[in-house]
Amino acid sequence: MRSDAMKKGFQRAPHRSLFRAAGLIEEEIERPIIGVAHSANEIIPGHVHLKDIAEAVKAGIRMAGGTPLDFPTIGICDGIAMNHEGMKYSLPSRELIADSIEVMAKAHPFDGLVLVTNCDKIVPGMVMGAIRLNIPTIVVSGGPMMAGRCDGQDIDLSNVFEAVGKLSAGNITKDELYDIECCACPGIGSCSGLFTANSMNILCEALGIALSGNGTIPAVEARRVHLAKHAGIHILNLVEKGIKMRDIVTQKAVDNALAVEMALGGSSNSILHLTAIAAEAGIKLTIDNVNEASDKVPQICSISPGGKYHIQDLDEAGGIPAVMKELSSKGLVNMDVITVTGSPIGEAINKAKVRNRAVIQSIEYPYSEVGGIVFLKGNLAPKGAIVKRAAVDPSMMVHDGPARVFGSEEECIDAILSGKIEKGDVVVIRYEGPKGGPGMREMLAPTSAIAGVGLDKDVALITDGRFSGATRGASIGHVSPEAAARGPIAVVRDGDIIKIDIPKRSISLDISEKELNQRLETLTIPKKELTGYLQLYAAHVSSADNGAVLDRSTL
């Protein structure tokens, strides 16, 4: 066993003495030792209950004959960090979390790991660290939040952000905003739409590194605890069979994850994280791979923010196994890839049943013949820019308009809420990329403000930053190269015409190549005074098309 390195033989008597000091007895020390990494804290609503989920995992491990030892990682709530300096730290925290998993499991050679997580950067960060370690591992999420109810309608966090814009436009009262604020997030769990957290927990299922139900069983249900106990049991089976992370996260598994992403129309951030996860497994995921998947996989679900349904509805309709079964009918799923059950994913898919055709459409009659995510390219984004076309109004699929350029999210928000953005405009927010932000902030506040003031069907927004999974509208992010890397987005001027054609996957600045090159030659990048972790991160982070991972060749 891997843990023998810290517990076997007379030379490890001091080590065993320390285990005894922690309360372990002889029998526990002799068993396989399983690390249970959790990100429980009292800040994130999706994480306040994770200690309980971790305890359920530990119960399963003990039932299967193992010894669980838990340890924490950090976690940032993207919703609370949104629209202020805190968001600069969200994406960078992913690298810290990955490193912490690696450090803990290298310093203490566990026989296996269970990752108890839930939200945004914490899920991919833990997974990246585990793939780096390449030991038996299972992911267990804390589950999605239930949708809120207000005036007889299901709502979620995105409705609160949009309500801020509605209040600024005089479309609702402060009392109405307060009602929405109090109803939208009714309890524990990751926010209830198909935002980044739920997208990533779903993709863990599709990759095969989590049990069926991981992405959709609501946080408040007993089934969530059952799932955690089963994960604890299954990890011992993986240890016994020697099935490691890179045995599961293969090219075929990544292809399955892409297919599910397209079928659901998930968060654009999922591609950023899936690219980083694939890189840890030695798999190159490119924008061409994404567009190929988008071409062949139809969108068969329409979940908030792009649709009216929420994750609880998807769960009741059969969950991800049912989605994958529908895709498999057209040969769009690799059925033979291994999962954390030790069996091919096809076994779980074959048992699935679609229980609600309104939520999971037939592949013969999809919401869209093409997938929900696509990359655009052109002289404004030579290395690509991403859009969640599942959440774009048909009227904005093709759009030409004058640029309104802002050097930060804050400048843009002020302009939107003060009525300075007009129909037809193309809002450009730059110097918010991985290096330039630094930290590649999510732009939920600007996109929600645009929706709130009623311009989401008339205004496009382009940025080298990111968008929250809760974003809807013609929101085009991850523009690469970013402004701070001397990308063309850095030389856009107010009034320049920007042409967007999502069906043709193009985004261009309507100026000559000569003019563009002249502007780039005279470009001066504004400097930001950085300290601490952000200074280190900005110096070594790669571009969005590479997953915004740290470029370790520069360390």
Side-chain angles (χ1 to χ4, degrees):
M1 290 190 294
R2 189 171 181 268
S3 62
D4 286 350
M6 61 180 174
K7 68 182 185 184
K8 288 290 186 181
F10 75 92
Q11 291 177 316
R12 296 296 179 261
H15 306 61
R16 293 192 296 273
S17 182
L18 290 169
F19 279 130
R20 295 177 194 279
L24 299 187
I25 61 175
E26 196 83 32
E27 290 80 359
E28 290 175 301
I29 297 172
E30 291 176 354
R31 293 173 178 174
I33 295 180
I34 308 299
V36 180
H38 65 79
S39 45
N41 63 45
E42 295 182 342
I43 301 168
I44 311 174
H47 290 236
V48 294
H49 64 305
L50 289 192
K51 197 68 166 134
D52 294 334
I53 300 298
E55 288 300 323
V57 169
K58 290 161 69 175
I61 291 169
R62 293 189 183 103
M63 281 188 277
T67 297
L69 297 175
D70 74 58
F71 62 92
T73 70
I74 62 170
I76 289 174
C77 179
D78 277 26
I80 296 173
M82 197 73 67
N83 195 221
H84 58 83
E85 184 185 25
M87 182 49 71
K88 291 179 181 287
Y89 289 86
S90 177
L91 183 60
S93 75
R94 186 188 70 181
E95 312 309 309
L96 287 176
I97 292 164
D99 290 347
S100 71
I101 296 295
E102 176 191 358
V103 166
M104 285 297 289
K106 285 287 190 182
H108 316 99
F110 303 119
D111 295 300
L113 278 175
V114 180
L115 309 175
V116 181
T117 179
N118 213 16
C119 292
D120 291 293
K121 311 316 153 296
I122 305 143
V123 179
M126 284 194 178
V127 172
M128 289 163 64
I131 294 175
R132 197 178 297 167
L133 291 164
N134 197 29
I135 63 176
T137 304
I138 295 180
V139 177
V140 180
S141 84
M145 185 185 294
M146 300 295 284
R149 293 285 288 177
C150 188
D151 295 329
Q153 300 292 320
D154 284 348
I155 64 171
D156 54 51
L157 181 65
S158 63
N159 296 102
V160 189
F161 276 94
E162 290 183 12
V164 172
K166 290 180 180 178
L167 179 65
S168 299
N171 295 328
I172 62 172
T173 66
K174 287 184 178 180
D175 287 342
E176 287 173 316
L177 173 60
Y178 183 72
D179 287 343
I180 295 170
E181 172 190 335
C182 293
C183 295
C185 300
I188 60 171
S190 48
C191 297
S192 58
L194 193 58
F195 312 144
T196 305
N198 292 326
S199 295
M200 290 309 304
N201 288 324
I202 283 168
L203 292 191
C204 285
E205 271 191 67
L207 283 167
I209 57 177
L211 297 175
S212 295
N214 181 73
T216 61
I217 296 173
V220 295
E221 290 196 17
R223 286 188 298 145
R224 178 58 55 180
V225 175
H226 302 166
L227 182 82
K229 289 180 179 178
H230 284 302
I233 292 170
H234 276 292
I235 190 63
L236 271 298
N237 181 49
L238 288 185
V239 170
E240 182 180 348
K241 293 182 176 181
I243 298 174
K244 302 174 183 178
M245 277 294 263
R246 291 183 201 167
D247 297 323
I248 298 174
V249 183
T250 62
Q251 181 67 64
K252 285 185 175 182
V254 171
D255 290 343
N256 281 352
L258 272 179
V260 170
E261 173 79 353
M262 296 305 163
L264 296 177
S267 167
S268 59
N269 286 325
S270 300
I271 302 300
L272 189 77
H273 300 317
L274 190 59
T275 301
I277 287 169
E280 292 288 357
I283 300 166
K284 181 69 172 177
L285 180 60
T286 69
I287 64 174
D288 290 335
N289 299 139
V290 175
N291 282 345
E292 287 169 9
S294 189
D295 275 343
K296 68 182 181 180
V297 181
Q299 183 193 345
I300 59 174
C301 297
S302 185
I303 311 294
S304 175
K308 66 179 181 179
Y309 297 108
H310 289 81
I311 301 300
Q312 68 207 54
D313 301 310
L314 180 58
D315 184 66
E316 291 172 5
I320 302 312
V323 171
M324 296 184 78
K325 185 171 186 177
E326 192 65 28
L327 296 179
S328 71
S329 69
K330 293 290 186 181
L332 297 173
V333 173
N334 298 302
M335 302 285 276
D336 59 342
V337 297
I338 201 75
T339 76
V340 290
T341 64
S343 302
I345 200 166
E347 289 191 12
I349 293 172
N350 286 331
K351 297 174 184 177
K353 181 180 179 181
V354 178
R355 296 186 174 90
N356 187 334
R357 280 296 182 189
V359 178
I360 302 174
Q361 298 272 68
S362 165
I363 200 166
E364 301 291 346
Y365 304 100
Y367 283 101
S368 170
E369 294 290 345
V370 291
I373 299 287
V374 70
F375 272 98
L376 314 180
K377 288 183 75 173
N379 68 350
L380 186 57
K383 292 187 177 180
I386 198 167
V387 62
K388 182 175 179 175
R389 64 178 164 192
V392 179
D393 188 83
S395 65
M396 289 296 291
M397 287 292 180
V398 178
H399 180 77
D400 296 356
R404 295 295 310 279
V405 183
F406 302 94
S408 71
E409 178 186 6
E410 288 81 1
E411 291 178 22
C412 179
I413 283 287
D414 289 344
I416 295 168
L417 297 183
S418 60
K420 295 178 181 178
I421 302 300
E422 300 177 353
K423 287 185 177 183
D425 284 347
V426 178
V427 175
V428 177
I429 307 177
R430 61 193 182 198
Y431 295 108
E432 289 286 8
K435 186 180 295 291
M440 204 180 184
R441 288 194 288 180
E442 289 184 347
M443 303 291 166
L444 179 56
T447 57
S448 297
I450 286 172
V453 299
L455 292 174
D456 55 302
K457 296 179 181 179
D458 301 289
V459 169
L461 196 155
I462 299 171
T463 182
D464 53 7
R466 299 180 296 129
F467 293 113
S468 164
T471 292
R472 63 184 175 93
S475 303
I476 300 165
H478 305 190
V479 171
S480 298
E482 62 174 295
R486 305 187 71 82
I489 192 174
V491 296
V492 179
R493 296 174 181 171
D494 275 330
D496 283 345
I497 299 299
I498 293 176
K499 296 184 174 182
I500 300 163
D501 192 326
I502 295 174
K504 291 184 178 179
R505 298 174 183 174
S506 69
I507 181 168
S508 61
L509 183 61
D510 192 20
I511 62 174
S512 68
E513 183 178 355
K514 180 180 179 181
E515 170 70 11
L516 179 59
N517 289 333
Q518 286 177 342
R519 291 186 189 184
L520 287 170
E521 287 171 6
T522 58
L523 173 65
T524 300
I525 305 294
K527 292 191 177 294
K528 295 185 178 180
E529 294 299 323
L530 301 174
T531 59
Y533 179 55
L534 287 185
Q535 183 180 29
L536 176 66
Y537 180 83
H540 300 290
V541 69
S542 66
S543 64
D545 61 299
N546 289 322
V549 296
L550 295 184
D551 182 356
R552 296 183 183 273
S553 68
T554 65
L555 295 176

